Amino acid sequence: MSHPSEAKKFVKNENRVNWHDQSLWHVREKRDKAVNLFPEWEQLREKASQIKSHSLSNLDYYLEEFEKNATANGIKVHWASDAIEHNEIVFNIFREHGVRRIVKSKSMLTEECHLNPFLEKHGVEVIDSDLGERIVQLAKETPSHIVMPAIHKKKIEIDELFQKHLHTRPSNGDENYLTAAAREHLRQKFMKADAALTGVNFGIAETGEFVVCTNEGNADMGVHLTPLHIASMGIEKIIPRYEDLGVFIRLLARSATGQHVTTYTSQFRKPREGAELHIILVDNGRTVQLGREKYRRSLHCIRCGACMNTCPVYRRSGGHSYQSVVPGPIGSILSPGIDMKKHASLPFASSLCGSCSDVCPVKIDIHKQLYSWRQDITREANEEPAKKFSMRFAGWLFTHPNLYKKAGKFGRKALKILPRWMIYNSLNAWGKQREIPEPPKQSFQEWYQQNRQKNG
Amino acid sequence: MANSGYERYSTKTMELFVNNFSEYDYVVAPSGSCVYHIRKHYDILKQTPEVQKIREKTLDICEFLVNHATTDALKSSFPYKVGLHQSCHGQRGLRFAKSSEVVGEPFSIVSQLLEKVEGIELIDLQRADECCGFGGTFAVAEEAVSVKMGKDRIQDHILNGAQVITGTDMSCLMHMEGIIRRRKLPLRIMHISEILNHTEQHEPSV
């Protein structure tokens, strides 16, 4: 299972690829409009990048400051070194409170920890309350995008899914009807929930509070209706001061969807009266990545998804082809850090066009890290003998000019006289849908010797 | 080799390149991606004065013409509708033009050169700087996605009335030309130096 084979399946349905490409490009265009209204955009990116570098270099300090201030605010702070520990902390709190049903709001971190299957195994009903996530949950799929989890689904497919699970009538993909049905369904779940679980966009060390950004208000709905709120936060989400928040809030929504700000930007500082508020600070591989100097900047990521929307490969291969919780360019530099062998094909699923790095609001040098991972993976994880041989051979041939000249001459001749089937066959991936260049009569060197050097 | 993850097998080739070219004032290449490689990836060699000089003095032909030659002397004419393919390594790698993701004043040294050509009509594209999908061994390893990207890139040019696609990078052009010839599409591929070198004496078969 590798990116090329999964992508190939997706590309087969060309109409669907065009539709997927257009949907995401539309978001990219909205993003462009929004950021171009902002003359100081590039300075803001630089500032955000510097704040992130500073926070990551002093991560221990800011995390402890956060813990101190959050505890003083009445928030219960927990630490989880990995996914298993995270899930156990969540379940233990639920057990103490006799929680049977929960509503969850947008957290890629709980996806990363595979929390849903864990809780379901222990008899807890988990409802993803973000509409897109609820759709993929009903379809028994994973999100294909970190901001728009169901971007790969057409309205008519959602219609069918709702008919099956929510007993709606066929509406030919009428979005007003479907949204109303989803709202009705989710409100019932909110009313019955015993606890709410959310992700965290930013944790502020100075004030011991955290921020959750949503467009549907679903986080607030869950949190306000239940007496127990657990928030899961990746430790890299910490920012030092309250005043830094404005920088990221301005960058996040514009980069993600082209909105000036998310519809709901909720700040949680202390538990409601009579309610409990917990936060779990999760490492799960982040400190290891922090220790890899070349890849440290990948932890700047604020999960806006802009690199996915702009990536010409992502748009044409779909999020599921990456087979990783975070797909697209940023996933391709994060995932090998977690499991290099499993995700060995991801850093190669890019033409290195660099659009991801230019669009990134926190200036992660994504395409350079992709290049770097390629060097590490061929050395440590992914020895493809044929590729290794051909690369070694090329390296050898290029350093033997006379042989190289002869090979070129031979090649030009061969291409001219060989029958077509010998050139275009299953061994030649280039030639499946493309012609190879017409061989020139002579090489540049030969031409130069004939025409210029004698005049020289 | 390097973009495929085998940078380590390319050091001898790099050294040979340095030996062959270190005596020249400038090394000019018809390819932004080659220039990018020399400037950005020769950092794995020992930084001798020769290596440092090569990294500084290797230029793409457009850079050379705009920054180091008197381009007013170009007496070229090319009365056709031309679509410019901004190759990624030149565009975002060497900053030949402002990329569409970045906020700021637009500029493009490549368009600047083409605008000096008499009679040329540069067309606008829906997606001015999207990758064509070549990407070195990506074109083979990710054949399906690569070709789809190429087809879409060409389609943008066709829909906007281009007769010729030009660009600074041989490899992008080779990839798109391969698709155009296979699908017998009604447009031609020319490297920018062919257009800059073009006068009315020799007509292309457009």
Side-chain angles (χ1 to χ4, degrees), chain A residues 160-377:
Chain A
E160 284 160 14
L161 207 56
F162 279 16
Q163 285 174 49
K164 191 173 152 202
H165 295 279
L166 311 184
H167 312 294
T168 51
R169 61 175 164 75
S171 73
N172 199 25
D174 176 346
E175 60 247 42
N176 289 329
Y177 172 70
L178 292 173
T179 312
R183 178 183 294 227
E184 176 70 32
H185 161 73
L186 281 169
R187 298 240 156 159
Q188 285 171 14
K189 297 293 181 187
F190 281 124
M191 299 298 286
K192 286 187 191 148
D194 305 316
L197 219 141
T198 69
V200 171
N201 289 89
F202 308 101
I204 304 163
E206 181 185 47
T207 54
E209 70 187 87
F210 62 92
V211 180
V212 183
C213 303
T214 71
N215 274 322
E216 297 165 19
N218 50 319
D220 308 74
M221 195 94 81
V223 167
H224 294 156
L225 285 167
T226 61
L228 175 63
H229 174 190
I230 304 178
S232 301
M233 172 178 142
I235 51 173
E236 84 285 11
K237 294 283 172 77
I238 200 89
I239 55 174
R241 297 165 306 178
Y242 189 73
E243 67 172 84
D244 301 325
L245 182 62
V247 174
F248 293 98
I249 294 294
R250 276 182 281 178
L251 289 168
L252 177 68
R254 285 181 174 86
S255 299
T257 56
Q259 292 165 282
H260 297 301
V261 69
T262 41
T263 316
Y264 300 87
T265 302
S266 307
Q267 304 176 23
F268 297 94
R269 189 174 289 187
K270 52 175 83 161
R272 236 176 36 241
E273 234 181 77
E276 270 185 35
L277 181 52
H278 296 253
I279 188 162
I280 311 173
L281 304 172
V282 187
D283 180 343
N284 204 33
R286 285 162 177 76
T287 46
V288 178
Q289 188 85 336
L290 189 67
R292 297 180 178 117
E293 214 182 318
K294 284 184 286 186
Y295 306 117
R296 178 177 293 173
R297 257 162 88 179
S298 64
L299 296 174
H300 284 197
C301 181
I302 57 171
R303 301 292 192 270
C304 69
C307 60
M308 293 161 204
N309 305 337
T310 205
C311 178
V313 177
Y314 176 93
R315 276 189 261 115
R316 288 172 185 83
S317 58
H320 287 147
S321 65
Y322 293 81
Q323 298 176 296
S324 129
V325 174
V326 181
I330 181 68
S332 299
I333 58 173
L334 289 171
S335 306
I338 297 163
D339 186 338
M340 198 199 277
K341 278 201 158 64
K342 184 179 169 208
H343 300 294
S345 68
L346 296 186
F348 297 90
S350 162
S351 60
L352 301 182
C353 75
S355 182
C356 46
S357 305
D358 273 1
V359 90
C360 179
V362 284
K363 288 195 149 179
I364 304 173
D365 50 349
I366 303 178
H367 73 293
K368 287 185 187 157
Q369 294 189 33
L370 288 168
Y371 176 86
S372 222
W373 270 119
R374 291 180 184 194
Q375 314 306 329
D376 289 349
I377 283 170

Side-chain angles (χ1 to χ4, degrees), chain A residues 39-90:
Chain A
E40 66 270 40
W41 182 254
E42 298 305 326
Q43 286 99 295
L44 205 59
R45 283 176 78 213
E46 181 56 36
K47 173 120 187 166
S49 178
Q50 284 174 8
I51 296 172
K52 278 287 180 183
S53 294
H54 171 80
S55 317
L56 290 171
S57 303
N58 300 281
L59 193 58
D60 52 343
Y61 173 78
Y62 286 119
L63 284 171
E64 283 177 3
E65 195 192 352
F66 177 83
E67 181 183 35
K68 192 182 78 194
N69 293 329
T71 308
N73 291 339
I75 301 175
K76 294 187 170 134
V77 181
H78 309 259
W79 298 82
S81 62
D82 58 19
I84 296 169
E85 221 173 273
H86 166 264
N87 294 351
E88 278 167 359
I89 292 169
V90 172

Side-chain angles (χ1 to χ4, degrees), chain B:
Chain B
M1 287 178 272
N3 278 353
S4 309
Y6 288 93
E7 198 179 59
R8 60 190 175 280
Y9 293 156
S10 69
T11 44
K12 288 228 155 66
T13 310
M14 291 177 172
E15 282 160 9
L16 180 68
F17 184 86
V18 175
N19 290 340
N20 284 343
F21 288 100
S22 59
E23 63 176 288
Y24 297 99
D25 293 336
Y26 294 105
V27 183
V28 179
S31 163
S33 62
C34 301
V35 175
Y36 179 88
H37 181 64
I38 291 156
R39 282 216 212 132
K40 308 275 176 172
H41 295 157
Y42 273 37
D43 56 354
I44 62 169
L45 297 181
K46 189 166 175 259
Q47 298 301 300
T48 61
E50 289 78 30
V51 171
Q52 283 173 337
K53 186 184 159 198
I54 283 270
R55 291 181 72 184
E56 206 179 302
K57 297 291 184 185
T58 302
L59 304 172
D60 174 83
I61 186 160
C62 297
E63 273 184 305
F64 177 76
L65 288 173
V66 169
N67 298 330
H68 302 277
T70 36
T71 46
D72 296 336
L74 286 174
K75 294 263 182 284
S76 40
S77 89
F78 194 73
Y80 299 95
K81 288 186 176 173
V82 175
L84 169 62
H85 175 67
Q86 292 271 20
S87 290
C88 307
H89 279 86
Q91 156 105 340
R92 298 193 191 84
L94 300 169
R95 302 287 171 200
F96 291 173
K98 184 187 87 70
S99 68
S100 59
E101 298 89 15
V102 168
V103 173
E105 284 299 309
F107 70 94
S108 162
I109 61 162
V110 187
S111 313
Q112 196 184 321
L113 270 176
L114 283 172
E115 277 155 13
K116 289 184 200 287
V117 176
E118 207 175 293
I120 198 166
E121 189 184 330
L122 276 176
I123 60 150
D124 288 326
L125 295 164
Q126 253 68 48
R127 300 182 186 181
D129 53 9
E130 175 135 304
C131 175
C132 69
F134 172 70
T137 48
F138 175 82
V140 174
E142 290 265 7
E143 187 265 347
V145 178
S146 166
V147 169
K148 178 61 183 148
M149 285 165 72
K151 278 161 73 176
D152 290 353
R153 201 77 289 271
I154 294 163
Q155 192 61 17
D156 195 354
H157 287 265
I158 290 178
L159 286 176
N160 288 289
Q163 294 168 296
V164 177
I165 298 180
T166 192
T168 53
D169 229 290
M170 294 299 296
S171 47
C172 308
L173 299 179
M174 174 179 79
H175 165 66
M176 287 191 287
E177 185 169 45
I179 296 171
I180 286 171
R181 275 176 47 218
R182 173 65 60 89
R183 304 175 79 83
K184 301 190 168 50
L185 298 171
L187 76 174
R188 271 194 65 185
I189 293 275
M190 287 171 82
H191 190 268
I192 187 164
S193 54
E194 293 178 272
I195 291 182
L196 298 177
N197 197 33
H198 192 272
T199 55
E200 276 163 57
Q201 277 83 45
H202 33 74
E203 290 296 310
S205 51
V206 174

